[in-house]
Amino acid sequence: MVQIWTRKKRRRKEFTFTILSNNAGEVVTRFRIPKWIVYFLTAVPFVPIILLVYYMTISGNQQAELELLAQKLEDETTKNEQLQQIVTVLEERSGETKAYLEQLSALENRMRTYINELPSVIEPMGGTQILVDEEEPIQGDTNVINQSTELIERFEQTLAIVDEVSEELQYTPTAWPTIPNTITSEYGIRSDPFNYATSFHSGIDIRGSYGTPVFAAADGKVIFAEYYGGYGNTIKIQHNGTYTTLYGHLSKIDVDVGDTVKKGDIIGAIGSTGRSTGPHLHYEIIKNGKTVNPKPYFIFFDTEGD
């Protein structure tokens, strides 16, 4: 039994090949080949096919993945271009807004300069103020540029008015004509210091020592600069078509007729020439040909007149 099992086992694991010759005298040749070699040789032709199928499957999957990645890349590129456009627009708006803010800042500085030059009688207040229509509330960030444009236009309109007022103010005698600013004799009815009779005083007298500087009270042109009877050494300055100022009893005159002067320029010095009891400045403001009280002009610009 052992031999039979062995044969059966060999038959299962080997193939026996017999080679017969046409010559009966030749020896019959037999040889055995293990089955696994036969199976291997049979399977070898199928390996390239299997590899080809595998490669095609892998290649198809990779192609699909590449197409998906390409689509994602295109989508991301589109989003990036859109974001770039948004950034560009925001940068442009940011630049415009910055320019508007710089312009507003410059305008505000001009406003502050004008406000600081206004007479001190006006109560001090902080900042600048622009009227806003209550029926048109501020919308939001999308209207920042439009709002800035509107504010700038309002500032410019206000500044145009301020420019006119400032120019007019330069030609309005609001500056003190000397220092110290102590009035010793008011404008109007008074007792004459020489004969003690009641008389009309057409200006104000300001205390001062000999040689104290006398200043132009506003921009203007010198129209008189010489000795003038009871006024002694006198200067008259024409300020536009409305005002003329007179400075009397001077110890010296530092300007000539025809000179153009600015508010605050030194034009002479306090003295006691003419009809005077001591060193002081006699100062008059003539508005439209008539003397007015100079005192209100030191603290407030009166557009209505006296």
Side-chain angles (χ1 to χ4, degrees):
M1 282 181 71
V2 175
Q3 292 177 352
I4 295 171
W5 178 82
T6 302
R7 289 176 181 174
K8 288 182 178 179
K9 187 175 181 181
R10 287 178 177 176
R11 288 194 187 100
R12 287 199 299 269
K13 292 186 176 182
E14 297 175 347
F15 287 105
T16 301
F17 295 89
T18 303
I19 302 174
L20 301 176
S21 176
N22 294 330
N23 188 353
E26 290 290 335
V27 179
V28 176
T29 304
R30 291 186 179 87
F31 61 91
R32 295 181 180 86
I33 300 176
K35 288 183 178 181
W36 67 269
I37 294 177
V38 176
Y39 294 152
F40 176 76
L41 294 175
T42 304
V44 167
F46 293 97
V47 172
I49 298 174
I50 295 171
L51 292 175
L52 178 61
V53 172
Y54 175 76
Y55 172 77
M56 292 178 65
T57 302
I58 296 299
S59 177
N61 292 336
Q62 290 180 344
Q63 183 65 29
E65 291 179 358
L66 289 174
E67 290 178 356
L68 181 60
L69 290 174
Q71 183 62 41
K72 289 183 178 180
L73 179 60
E74 184 178 354
D75 294 341
E76 292 299 326
T77 301
T78 302
K79 290 180 181 179
N80 183 59
E81 290 176 353
Q82 293 175 348
L83 289 174
Q84 186 63 38
Q85 291 176 355
I86 293 173
V87 170
T88 301
V89 172
L90 290 176
E91 288 177 349
E92 291 177 354
R93 290 185 177 179
S94 176
E96 292 176 358
T97 302
K98 183 179 180 180
Y100 282 123
L101 291 176
E102 290 177 351
Q103 191 172 358
L104 282 172
S105 178
L107 291 172
E108 182 179 7
N109 290 335
R110 289 177 60 193
M111 287 289 292
R112 290 181 183 277
T113 300
Y114 286 130
I115 289 172
N116 291 335
E117 291 178 354
L118 290 175
S120 60
V121 70
I122 302 176
E123 292 296 328
M125 299 176 66
T128 56
Q129 188 173 0
I130 299 177
L131 298 178
V132 178
D133 190 350
E134 294 181 356
E135 295 181 358
E136 298 179 359
I138 296 177
Q139 300 296 324
D141 293 341
T142 56
N143 292 328
V144 169
I145 294 178
N146 291 335
Q147 294 166 16
S148 300
T149 302
E150 182 179 354
L151 287 173
I152 289 174
E153 290 177 353
R154 293 185 181 184
F155 259 122
E156 289 177 343
Q157 291 173 359
T158 303
L159 285 175
I161 297 173
V162 172
D163 283 336
E164 294 179 3
V165 174
S166 178
E167 183 177 359
E168 185 174 358
L169 198 59
Q170 282 298 111
Y171 291 96
T172 302
T174 57
W176 279 88
T178 189
I179 50 176
N181 52 2
T182 302
I183 297 176
T184 57
S185 183
E186 300 280 354
Y187 173 86
I189 302 299
R190 69 168 184 175
S191 175
D192 188 280
F194 287 94
N195 55 27
Y196 301 104
T198 300
S199 63
F200 179 77
H201 190 215
S202 58
I204 59 173
D205 291 339
I206 302 174
R207 178 184 300 161
S209 303
Y210 278 104
T212 301
V214 174
F215 311 106
D219 293 2
K221 184 177 181 180
V222 178
I223 60 173
F224 187 90
E226 59 183 83
Y227 196 88
Y228 187 41
Y231 288 103
N233 293 326
T234 302
I235 297 172
K236 288 184 181 181
I237 301 176
Q238 177 73 48
H239 313 282
N240 62 33
T242 303
Y243 295 101
T244 300
T245 51
L246 180 148
Y247 312 79
H249 307 306
L250 302 177
S251 60
K252 66 174 181 175
I253 297 173
D254 294 328
V255 292
D256 296 317
V257 173
D259 287 350
T260 298
V261 295
K262 294 289 185 181
K263 182 179 290 190
D265 286 352
I266 296 176
I267 58 175
I270 287 179
S272 186
T273 56
R275 192 170 182 267
S276 172
T277 59
H280 70 283
L281 172 67
H282 175 83
Y283 174 66
E284 293 183 8
I285 294 179
I286 299 130
K287 180 179 180 181
N288 296 323
K290 296 181 179 179
T291 61
V292 295
N293 188 356
K295 192 173 180 179
Y297 287 81
F298 295 144
I299 56 176
F300 186 68
F301 172 43
D302 183 7
T303 57
E304 298 298 329
D306 293 278

